[in-house]
């Protein structure tokens, strides 16, 4: 089974989360392609999809939203999961956060089985407008890395188990 793990990321944090997911799927024996959402031209040949996006004040990352619109209905009958990354605190680990409106739209367009929110990362190494925001947030005590690799990897192992059990069932 070939799984596409695609992501929309500006500062690299969500891309790194997607990489952790891809590693777990590969460890379960699945064939995985990891790609930025805006670099995907075709989805034929993929039997499953994991799509992730960074969340910002403006919403779900534009590249992931465009991916969902471009490939709407193309994953019918194939398993799809979505994830968001972004809360700059531990709320994503402490409670199940619902998808924002744009992620809900993507869930509908891609007929996703589920969605999860993971913590985000905002450090002063960010460039451009993200760096400006990160430095301001750090002064206010709100920057750092709030991602939980163990939680991400456990979620990915659950997806792998679901995919492999469907193949053998």
């Amino acid at each position: 089974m070939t799984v596409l793990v695609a992501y929309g990321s500006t500062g690299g944090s969500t891309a790194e989360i997607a990489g952790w997911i891809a590693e777990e799927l590969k460890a379960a024996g699945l064939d995985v392609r990891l790609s930025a959402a805006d670099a995907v031209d075709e989805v034929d040949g993929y039997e499953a999809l994991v799509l992730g996006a960074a969340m910002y004040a403006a919403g779900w990352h534009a590249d992931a939203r465009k991916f969902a619109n471009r490939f709407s209905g193309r994953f019918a009958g194939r398993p799809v999961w979505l994830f968001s990354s972004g809360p700059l605190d531990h709320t994503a680990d402490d409670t199940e956060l619902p998808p924002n409106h744009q992620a809900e739209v993507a869930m509908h367009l891609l007929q996703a089985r589920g969605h999860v929110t993971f913590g985000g990362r905002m450090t002063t190494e960010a460039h451009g407008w993200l760096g400006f925001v990160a430095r301001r947030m750090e002064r206010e005590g709100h920057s750092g890395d709030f991602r939980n690799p163990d939680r991400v990897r456990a979620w990915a192992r659950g997806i792998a188990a679901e995919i492999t059990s469907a193949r053998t069932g």
Side-chain angles (χ1 to χ4, degrees):
M1 170 157 300
T2 304
V3 182
L4 173 61
V5 178
Y7 57 87
S9 182
T10 298
S13 176
T14 305
E16 191 171 10
I17 290 171
W20 297 337
I21 293 166
E23 288 171 5
E24 292 298 326
L25 298 176
K26 286 178 186 175
L30 299 169
D31 184 21
V32 179
R33 177 177 176 221
L34 176 64
S35 178
D38 65 347
V40 177
D41 295 324
E42 185 54 58
V43 295
D44 290 342
Y46 295 111
E47 297 161 282
L49 168 68
V50 177
L51 175 64
M55 292 188 305
Y56 301 104
W60 228 44
H61 196 283
D63 291 345
R65 292 192 321 258
K66 290 174 187 173
F67 179 100
N69 283 313
R70 188 168 59 246
F71 298 114
S72 175
R74 299 278 304 276
F75 281 92
R78 295 184 267 178
V80 174
W81 293 269
L82 305 183
F83 74 90
S84 299
S85 74
L88 298 175
D89 57 25
H90 294 288
T91 56
D93 286 342
D94 297 339
T95 185
E96 187 173 322
L97 299 174
N100 70 15
H101 174 69
Q102 293 165 336
E104 283 183 343
V105 169
M107 287 181 71
H108 175 73
L109 292 172
L110 297 170
Q111 301 172 357
R113 293 182 176 194
H115 171 275
V116 67
T117 299
F118 299 117
R121 178 184 71 189
M122 179 69 73
T123 64
T124 56
E125 290 100 37
H127 300 287
W129 69 271
L130 278 179
F132 171 78
V133 170
R135 287 184 288 281
R136 183 173 180 186
M137 291 179 71
E138 182 179 55
R139 285 191 299 271
E140 297 170 2
H142 300 292
S143 68
D145 191 343
F146 299 95
R147 298 171 302 162
N148 181 338
D150 293 336
R151 182 168 171 251
V152 172
R153 290 178 180 281
W155 182 73
R157 286 190 299 273
I159 289 172
E162 192 171 333
I163 291 171
T164 55
S165 70
R167 279 192 338 198
T168 59

